Amino acid sequence: MTQSVVVQVGQCGNQVGCRFWDLALREHANVNKKGIYDEALSSFFRNVDTRSGGDGPDIYKGKICSLKARALLIDMEEGVVNEILQGPLRDVFDSTQLITDVSGSGNNWAVGHKLYGSQYQENIVEKLRKAAEHCDCLQCFFIIHSMGGGTGSGLGTFVLKLLEDEFPEVYRFVTSVYPSGEDDVITSPYNSVLAMKELNEHADCVLPIENESLFDIVNKIHQMANSGKLGSTVKQNSLVTSSAGSAKTVQEKPFDAMNNILANLLLNLTSSARFEGSLNMDLNEISMNLVPFPRLHYLVSSLTPLYTLADVNVPSRRLDQMFSDAFSRDHQLIQADPKHSLYLACALLVRGNVQVSDLRRNIERLKPSLHFVSWNQEGWKTGLCSVPPVGHSHSLLALANNTCVKPTFIELKDRFMKLYKKKAHLHHYLHVDGMEQSCFSEAISSLSDLIEEYNELDATKGGPRTDPPRLKIAV
């Protein structure tokens, strides 16, 4: 069994990470009734002997003693991390996994990347190495961060580069939360474009998530719950809308429901690494099969059901309907339209009692409505994990490498140029040591090149689509 380490950076990264660890523990508790430390748990948790106090030796077999998340928590403000350490998850982390400061990055990519990056580099590398040493077979680093602020975008992408330098063979999977157009951080277009250059160069796969899409999804679920369409009203303390139901009740925060959706995305993404299945998909297979060109590694994710792990009496979606949902805009975590754009490849990660024949039938049913590049008409990768999410019979995560991400990048470029043409707020960045104006011109050039690569692919769309003849096999 392989192991993965989660690196959560900045306020958003740590809040999403916190929800992921909480829900992952619930999922394992639902399956692992005897409290035995097994391979499924070892993929994301260590079992530590804390009887002698402190960070004791790892216990590889037998009863669970003390579970510690394979994680590194980084934030240049203490608030969110302190909250985690005082909450129900406090025993899952210890001081060797934390890196915090008090002053924050002030919504400035340069402060996070250049200033705090150089200041904390040795400390970060040392803690990453320690996390790696506790793994028998380290396969993947998951980075969770946001693009609009200073720490998540700046220090988050600095850590990404460090990971490439220190662990070049270990797969780097980044979940990036993109700001909406109405973001309250005026400099977020600068931060996002500067971070994009680093993602282009150093990530193996990026899941871009838009705040706006998450907000719309949460609103729809609330409306459905209030109108009774979910089969019954949402119970109080429902996990779809709050972090309640933990060891102690906490006041719901505005982003809790949105963070839950992201945490569920990560639960489904990692399910094959954590549980058995008839067609398990390794995390490195996602990159191998879905990323035909190194820079075009941005995957559009859609999730069904969206209210996984909610304490909601939801009538189960029929299996075939679930596949249709995964290709509808309502279930996507980015505002885009893949059906009218070009697919380079698509992965379907299914959980629950689903057969390979169900997968094949639905792929054949959906294929005529989807445009794939001419040289990869059969570009489907599938994974089956036998353990469904808590409270559901099955679920589906679709990951599409599709040119529909292009409008998001174009809009980001336009917002960047509005500020950059006026040189607005540039002085805040340029007074940071190591930050030159060339960093801005290189970043916008990198984004423009990426958009152009998508344009070239889009130009090939619309040619005649002919299915190649297949070899007929008598059964």
Side-chain angles (χ1 to χ4, degrees):
M1 203 63 151
T2 58
Q3 292 85 40
S4 297
V5 173
V6 177
V7 184
Q8 39 200 71
V9 189
Q11 178 180 333
C12 173
N14 278 291
Q15 286 176 335
V16 171
C18 180
R19 300 302 307 127
F20 168 74
W21 293 111
D22 185 16
L23 299 185
L25 283 169
R26 290 164 192 256
E27 204 166 81
H28 283 283
N30 194 56
V31 176
N32 188 336
K33 305 286 187 191
K34 293 180 180 175
I36 301 293
Y37 183 68
D38 56 11
E39 283 193 337
L41 271 170
S42 76
S43 55
F44 279 86
F45 294 93
R46 296 166 56 211
N47 187 25
V48 179
D49 186 350
T50 52
R51 287 171 294 195
S52 54
D55 187 16
D58 282 18
I59 305 169
Y60 295 98
K61 285 182 180 172
K63 284 277 186 189
I64 293 169
C65 183
S66 175
L67 288 179
K68 298 288 179 189
R70 299 187 190 277
L72 181 57
L73 284 62
I74 304 172
D75 200 0
M76 294 297 101
E77 291 172 337
E78 294 179 306
V80 174
V81 172
N82 283 347
E83 218 172 278
I84 294 170
L85 296 182
Q86 289 158 16
L89 291 176
R90 59 186 171 276
D91 296 331
V92 181
F93 309 104
D94 60 47
S95 57
T96 64
Q97 296 171 270
L98 315 175
I99 296 176
T100 58
D101 202 294
V102 289
S103 48
S105 299
N107 296 326
N108 188 328
W109 181 90
V111 172
H113 198 88
K114 303 288 185 181
L115 186 69
Y116 286 131
S118 57
Q119 190 177 327
Y120 283 95
Q121 178 170 348
E122 281 182 27
N123 195 358
I124 293 169
V125 168
E126 182 194 335
K127 284 182 163 56
L128 285 170
R129 282 183 185 156
K130 190 163 185 189
E133 282 164 13
H134 288 302
C135 300
D136 290 332
C137 180
L138 175 58
Q139 184 185 43
C140 185
F141 284 107
F142 285 93
I143 296 181
I144 311 172
H145 74 134
S146 71
M147 299 288 278
T151 302
S153 71
L155 193 53
T157 52
F158 182 85
V159 172
L160 177 64
K161 173 75 167 73
L162 273 186
L163 290 174
E164 186 181 45
D165 293 342
E166 296 291 327
F167 307 93
E169 302 304 313
V170 182
Y171 181 54
R172 296 172 301 283
F173 213 113
V174 188
T175 304
S176 303
V177 180
Y178 281 68
S180 65
E182 288 75 49
D183 192 59
D184 62 347
V185 177
I186 292 169
T187 54
S188 71
Y190 282 164
N191 298 331
S192 301
V193 171
L194 289 162
M196 278 281 296
K197 178 178 181 287
E198 305 299 314
L199 293 181
N200 286 344
E201 293 174 4
H202 307 300
D204 288 308
C205 264
V206 180
L207 295 184
I209 313 290
E210 282 183 339
N211 258 334
E212 223 162 311
S213 290
L214 295 177
F215 187 72
D216 288 350
I217 287 166
V218 170
N219 276 348
K220 275 175 197 149
I221 294 172
H222 276 303
Q223 284 166 11
M224 285 168 76
N226 294 334
S227 67
K229 282 185 185 168
L230 286 183
S232 78
T233 54
V234 180
K235 296 176 194 169
Q236 212 146 17
N237 298 348
S238 160
L239 287 175
V240 72
T241 54
S242 75
S243 59
S246 311
K248 66 177 185 184
T249 306
V250 227
Q251 187 60 41
E252 183 188 335
K253 295 187 179 60
F255 296 115
D256 275 347
M258 291 159 73
N259 292 342
N260 272 335
I261 292 167
L262 268 185
N264 282 317
L265 161 70
L266 292 168
L267 279 184
N268 285 315
L269 180 65
T270 59
S271 60
S272 265
R274 294 181 295 120
F275 300 114
E276 292 298 312
S278 58
L279 193 65
N280 259 10
M281 189 194 299
D282 244 6
L283 289 162
N284 57 1
E285 290 180 46
I286 295 173
S287 174
M288 180 61 70
N289 289 276
L290 262 63
V291 182
F293 307 111
R295 282 161 55 90
L296 304 185
H297 52 234
Y298 294 87
L299 307 180
V300 178
S301 48
S302 53
L303 198 57
T304 174
L306 288 162
Y307 22 78
T308 314
L309 277 171
D311 303 322
V312 184
N313 181 11
V314 188
S316 274
R317 299 294 267 169
R318 291 195 328 276
L319 190 63
D320 288 8
Q321 183 60 50
M322 188 177 77
F323 280 88
S324 300
D325 286 347
F327 289 87
S328 81
R329 298 180 71 162
D330 289 350
H331 288 252
Q332 280 173 205
L333 306 190
I334 181 172
Q335 296 195 317
D337 190 5
K339 274 197 166 180
H340 293 95
S341 302
L342 195 63
Y343 280 87
L344 281 74
C346 185
L348 301 175
L349 289 79
V350 187
R351 299 180 63 183
N353 184 20
V354 181
Q355 306 305 315
V356 175
S357 56
D358 296 321
L359 274 172
R360 287 183 182 147
R361 185 182 72 254
N362 278 286
I363 287 172
E364 290 302 324
R365 177 174 66 85
L366 291 161
K367 246 168 56 173
S369 62
L370 309 173
H371 301 276
F372 272 74
V373 285
S374 58
W375 39 265
N376 197 23
Q377 291 283 309
E378 302 295 321
W380 296 87
K381 178 69 183 166
T382 52
L384 283 179
C385 170
S386 53
V387 178
V390 178
H392 289 272
S393 56
H394 41 246
S395 73
L396 169 60
L397 167 64
L399 298 174
N401 193 342
N402 189 293
T403 59
C404 68
V405 293
K406 185 178 69 174
T408 298
F409 298 153
I410 290 171
E411 186 192 344
L412 186 57
K413 180 183 175 181
D414 291 345
R415 287 172 54 214
F416 175 98
M417 290 310 296
K418 273 182 190 168
L419 291 174
Y420 192 57
K421 278 176 183 168
K422 301 291 183 189
K423 302 288 185 274
H425 300 283
L426 273 190
H427 62 290
H428 296 303
Y429 291 78
L430 298 179
H431 81 261
V432 177
D433 275 352
M435 191 69 186
E436 311 275 336
Q437 193 156 335
S438 60
C439 296
F440 285 87
S441 51
E442 286 167 12
I444 198 64
S445 171
S446 173
L447 181 57
S448 299
D449 290 347
L450 182 68
I451 291 167
E452 188 48 43
E453 285 185 55
Y454 282 112
N455 280 336
E456 286 170 14
L457 278 170
D458 268 338
T460 67
K461 183 175 162 258
R465 274 174 46 200
T466 53
D467 284 335
R470 290 188 181 176
L471 182 67
K472 299 278 188 252
I473 299 173
V475 179

